[in-house]
Structure formats: structure tokens, C-alpha cells
Amino acid sequence: MSNVTTHSFTNCGAQAVALAERVATQLREAIAARGTAVIAVSGGSTPKDFFARLSREALDWAKVAITLVDERWVPDTDERSNAKLVETTLLQDAARAARFVPLYTGAPTPEAGLAEAGARIAALPAPFDVVVLGMGEDGHTASFFPGGDHLAAALDPHGTAKVLPMHAPGAGEPRITLTLPVLLDTRALYLLVSGEKKRDLLADVRLGLADAKNHPVRAVVQQDRVPLAVYWCP
Ligand SMILES: O=C1O[C@H](COP(=O)(O)O)[C@@H](O)[C@H](O)[C@H]1O
């Protein structure tokens, strides 16, 4: 039986609304059950509308911790910073009261910042309540890049590292990423994607036509640890 469900939308605004409503419900349920909620989100360009919608959801944001599934190792003033994206689109409106846990530490390299970033993630309650991943057209998700220098370790389902550095030809800048076991240790897992190229790539991955080394997103699609809900729009 497939572990993946796909929700397709005719426009990306509807996708953002539907996912924001779903995630907000799960955050409310987490707060009701445990007093706090933890969500890890991706960066890049795709989640902007979703973040804007989610930021306006009525819930007790002061009880929510938000972190990133991966980060480009640049200061949060840099246009490429995933933290900057979260700060300017998600940590707004009602969600301004949430606690943001960044991965970038200000250290000169991800290797130098690894212990601090790992400690920040280890201090969060586990399992996470919600993880929202994205995907690049090259098949990367989080910072699991094809050709990445720590890809095998990051995808190791039995690995014990919470975070790892990543350098890869297609990555642009050095990265830090939550590892696969951390990302799959969640009550709800989403993959937010848009465009026909990504839809077709995901179809190949689901059919087993793409391998995890060249299309690392396969590691979250072909796993049986947690159901994956794909939200797609054109
Ligand atoms: O570099 C990154 O890219 C992916 C996909 O980004 P998009 O611009 O194609 O939406 C993103 O999921 C990841 O968090 C980010 O660091």
C-alpha cells in the first residue's frame, strides 16, 4: 500500500490555503494535547504563499516553535537566507508570537556551527508535530543534494546526527540540513511542490524510476515511517 497521498490544486493560492488550514489544525491539536507544537519548514521560493496564509491562522502561536528543515549558510540579512524568508513571511501577523529556532549560528562555516545547531534541534520536543518539505527540480529536498558530500550520512535511516553540513555542486552555498531520521520523526509530513517538472519527477520517483543518489527526494517518498502528503499546484 502506498504511503503517499497527493492533493492537486488548479491554482497555487488554493494549495496555500488548504495546506495552511490543515497545518493550523494540527498545530492546535498539538497544543491541546501537549501544551506546545513544533513545526519544521523548508525555504526556497515555493512556500511563500503558504507561510503568509499560515501566519494569519488563529492559534496560540506563543506555544509554537518554528525551525527550518535546512539552511543556506548565510547571515539572515542575505536574500538567500531561509531564516529571512521565514522572518518576513511566516513570523508575521498572529504568528509573530511564535518562537523561531534558526539553524544558522553566525559561525564561519556549517562545520563550525554544527554543534550549536545540533543542540538547538536536540532541545526541541520530539517527535515534531509537522514537517513541511519542498523539492528542487534536481530532486533535492531539505539540503539532500545530488552529489552532496554528506548525502549518504544524511540519508542514513539509522544515523544519529541531528544536523549535517552539505556542500554540493548545485547547492549554491554551503548548507546545513536536518537529517532524514529527524525529518521523518514527525506526526505529519508534507511535500509542497509546484510546476509540471516537479510533478513529473515525483511520478518517476514513485514508480521507482529515480534513485536516491541522483534524486534524494526518493528517501522521503519511498519510506514507511510516516505517511507523506504531497500538495501540488501548477
Ligand atoms: O534550496 C532550497 O531549495 C528547496 C526548493 O526550493 P524552491 O525554490 O524550488 O521552492 C527548498 O525546499 C529548500 O528548503 C531550500 O533550502
Side-chain angles (χ1 to χ4, degrees):
M1 203 170 69
S2 173
N3 205 25
V4 181
T5 54
T6 302
H7 305 258
S8 296
F9 298 84
T10 51
N11 68 80
C12 295
Q15 176 205 45
V17 170
L19 185 57
E21 288 176 353
R22 180 85 195 109
V23 167
T25 297
Q26 288 171 321
L27 296 178
R28 284 184 204 106
E29 288 171 355
I31 292 167
R34 290 173 292 282
T36 58
V38 184
I39 177 171
V41 295
S42 59
S45 55
T46 308
K48 280 182 192 159
D49 288 352
F50 160 64
F51 286 167
R53 289 284 177 174
L54 184 60
S55 73
R56 300 199 286 270
E57 287 285 337
L59 59 98
D60 194 348
W61 283 103
K63 294 180 174 151
V64 178
I66 302 173
T67 193
L68 287 160
V69 301
D70 72 315
E71 181 60 287
R72 300 155 174 171
W73 204 257
V74 293
D76 62 10
T77 48
D78 192 296
E79 286 306 313
R80 295 269 302 160
S81 163
N82 287 339
K84 178 169 182 161
L85 173 75
V86 167
E87 278 159 13
T88 54
T89 58
L90 178 53
L91 295 174
Q92 299 291 322
D93 295 297
R96 214 177 268 277
R99 178 168 68 96
F100 180 52
V101 179
L103 295 175
Y104 180 74
T105 65
T109 63
E111 286 80 1
L114 201 64
E116 170 64 24
R120 291 177 187 178
I121 297 303
L124 291 170
F128 290 169
D129 295 294
V130 178
V131 169
V132 182
L133 294 166
M135 183 183 84
E137 290 185 351
D138 60 355
H140 85 267
T141 189
S143 278
F144 305 155
F145 277 88
D149 58 350
H150 290 97
L151 182 62
L155 296 184
D156 180 353
H158 307 297
T160 54
K162 302 268 184 210
V163 295
L164 283 173
M166 196 70 70
H167 301 81
E173 55 283 288
R175 304 289 188 114
I176 190 165
T177 188
L178 270 57
T179 57
L180 183 66
V182 173
L183 293 175
L184 298 185
D185 191 18
T186 179
R187 294 184 173 88
L189 179 64
Y190 298 97
L191 183 57
L192 181 65
V193 283
S194 63
E196 292 180 6
K197 197 166 172 186
K198 291 183 182 179
R199 179 196 64 194
D200 294 348
L201 174 59
L202 273 178
D204 284 352
V205 168
R206 290 187 68 182
L207 288 170
L209 301 175
D211 62 68
K213 197 173 157 207
N214 293 310
H215 301 93
V217 72
R218 183 188 159 110
V220 297
V221 173
Q222 301 274 5
Q223 50 81 28
D224 55 15
R225 174 90 198 257
V226 58
L228 173 68
V230 176
Y231 276 61
W232 179 85
C233 71

